[in-house]
Amino acid sequence: MTEMKKTPSIKGELKYTDKVIEKIVGMALESVDGLLAVSGGFFSDLKEKLINTDTTRDGVNVEVGTKQVAVDLDIVAEYQKHVPTIYQSIKSVIETEIKRMTDLEVVEVNVNVVDIKTRAQHEADTVSLQDRVSDVTSSAVDFTSNQADKAAKGISNLTETKEPRVI
């Protein structure tokens, strides 16, 4: 029999940044019934409306170790939904997705319910916030445009050439 030569093992390690795990959690939570939002608070919600950014991770905080993950969430739950059931669904989907994608063990999921709203209230709040941000943006643009026009007229008045006076 021929002896097989062992190839040297490739060394290295696989690590995940908090951002990656937060994103997996955020995307996984989109399927949870009764969960209206994972909230990072008013300023986070405002940022989402003002800047076209990836907000999947807002309101999601994680601690990532080499083999384990702990997750903290602030959520808005839907009115008349059983919150403990929402919590169990959140834990289940997070555990499943993290394990499936990373082989990391989820050891803790802490959920802080920061608000309860009907779906209609949540949608109205989202629209009204967008309207308020649009109004503020529009006012700022109008103000800036008016100031620029005034400056241009002032510069024009200063640089106009006048006919020399003949004495």
Side-chain angles (χ1 to χ4, degrees):
M1 284 194 179
T2 61
E3 189 176 316
M4 291 188 111
K5 289 185 178 182
K6 289 189 178 182
T7 58
S9 155
I10 298 173
K11 295 183 182 185
E13 64 183 343
L14 176 61
K15 291 183 180 181
Y16 300 97
T17 63
D18 290 357
K19 175 180 154 180
V20 169
I21 303 302
E22 288 168 356
K23 196 167 187 177
I24 292 170
V25 169
M27 294 173 93
L29 292 175
E30 292 175 2
S31 66
V32 175
D33 182 46
L35 177 63
L36 293 177
V38 177
S39 175
F42 174 77
F43 291 107
S44 175
D45 294 342
L46 185 62
K47 176 193 77 178
E48 176 182 340
K49 306 307 181 229
L50 286 173
I51 305 167
N52 188 16
T53 62
D54 171 21
T55 56
T56 309
R57 302 178 298 123
D58 286 346
V60 179
N61 296 299
V62 300
E63 289 180 41
V64 182
T66 56
K67 297 183 189 290
Q68 298 178 325
V69 175
V71 180
D72 296 319
L73 305 169
D74 290 334
I75 70 161
V76 177
E78 188 173 353
Y79 177 67
Q80 293 189 330
K81 296 284 184 168
H82 187 247
V83 177
T85 300
I86 295 169
Y87 176 57
Q88 291 304 321
S89 296
I90 288 170
K91 288 193 312 184
S92 176
V93 74
I94 287 173
E95 179 184 34
T96 300
E97 287 303 301
I98 295 293
K99 186 72 170 169
R100 184 179 70 78
M101 293 185 70
T102 67
D103 284 339
L104 294 172
E105 176 189 9
V106 177
V107 293
E108 193 173 287
V109 176
N110 300 301
V111 173
N112 182 33
V113 181
V114 296
D115 206 351
I116 300 250
K117 296 179 181 181
T118 65
R119 188 163 294 281
Q121 285 173 323
H122 177 66
E123 289 169 2
D125 288 350
T126 302
V127 168
S128 67
L129 180 59
Q130 286 174 335
D131 291 344
R132 282 182 273 166
V133 169
S134 293
D135 290 347
V136 168
T137 304
S138 178
S139 295
V141 167
D142 290 346
F143 175 79
T144 304
S145 179
N146 287 337
Q147 293 303 94
D149 288 345
K150 286 179 185 177
K153 286 177 186 173
I155 290 170
S156 176
N157 288 340
L158 289 174
T159 58
E160 279 183 0
T161 57
K162 296 188 176 190
E163 294 295 321
R165 285 186 3 183
V166 178
I167 302 182

